[in-house]
Amino acid sequence: MNLPTDYIPILIMAAVSVGFVLMSLLGAKYLGARQRKSAVEKNKNFECGIEQEGNARTPYSIKYFLTAVLFVLFDIEIVFFYPYAVNFLDFGWEGFAAILAFVGVFFVGFIYVLKRGALDWDK
């Protein structure tokens, strides 16, 4: 039976978390450096005392980041196969149908990614 007193530790944890965040933000604002530097000074490249040469902000292709995000997405999918692989005899046909639906959703997503050309590096 869930009593209201059972939720007191959760409320205390939430209050401490919110209090920590607020104290951190206010502390950074009021105890931080009083002397604000101009944006031009802050955005200058620093090369360990050597005069700067060119721009440090090298542009990257968005395809690199898209490929990395897609890799993480489909790699995490593999993690969800582990519980099924360990207990596949206990799950029976219902578990098999559930895992087929799970793979089907990701397969449809993969086909969508291929159709959109997200993995074509030549474009």
Side-chain angles (χ1 to χ4, degrees):
M1 176 179 243
N2 289 336
L3 299 174
T5 57
D6 293 339
Y7 294 103
I8 289 176
I10 296 172
L11 293 175
I12 291 172
M13 184 186 70
V16 168
S17 301
V18 170
F20 177 75
V21 169
L22 290 176
M23 291 301 293
S24 298
L25 290 174
L26 292 174
K29 180 178 181 181
Y30 292 113
L31 299 176
R34 294 284 181 204
Q35 189 177 17
R36 305 286 185 221
K37 295 187 178 187
S38 67
V40 174
E41 182 73 21
K42 282 171 49 175
N43 290 335
K44 276 178 63 175
N45 298 333
F46 180 72
E47 296 291 335
C48 300
I50 302 171
E51 285 296 320
Q52 70 181 20
E53 189 174 310
N55 189 359
R57 299 181 195 316
T58 305
Y60 289 104
S61 172
I62 192 69
K63 291 212 178 266
Y64 172 76
F65 296 107
L66 183 61
T67 303
V69 167
L70 289 173
F71 171 76
V72 169
L73 174 72
F74 288 109
D75 191 44
I76 294 298
E77 174 191 6
I78 301 301
V79 172
F80 289 111
F81 282 122
Y82 184 74
Y84 176 75
V86 171
N87 299 315
F88 73 96
L89 291 177
D90 297 335
F91 289 142
W93 287 105
E94 287 182 26
F96 184 69
I99 205 72
L100 280 181
F102 180 72
V103 170
V105 169
F106 273 97
F107 187 70
V108 168
F110 182 66
I111 296 299
Y112 175 76
V113 165
L114 286 178
K115 293 279 185 189
R116 293 290 301 215
L119 301 176
D120 293 335
W121 284 89
D122 297 334
K123 291 183 180 179

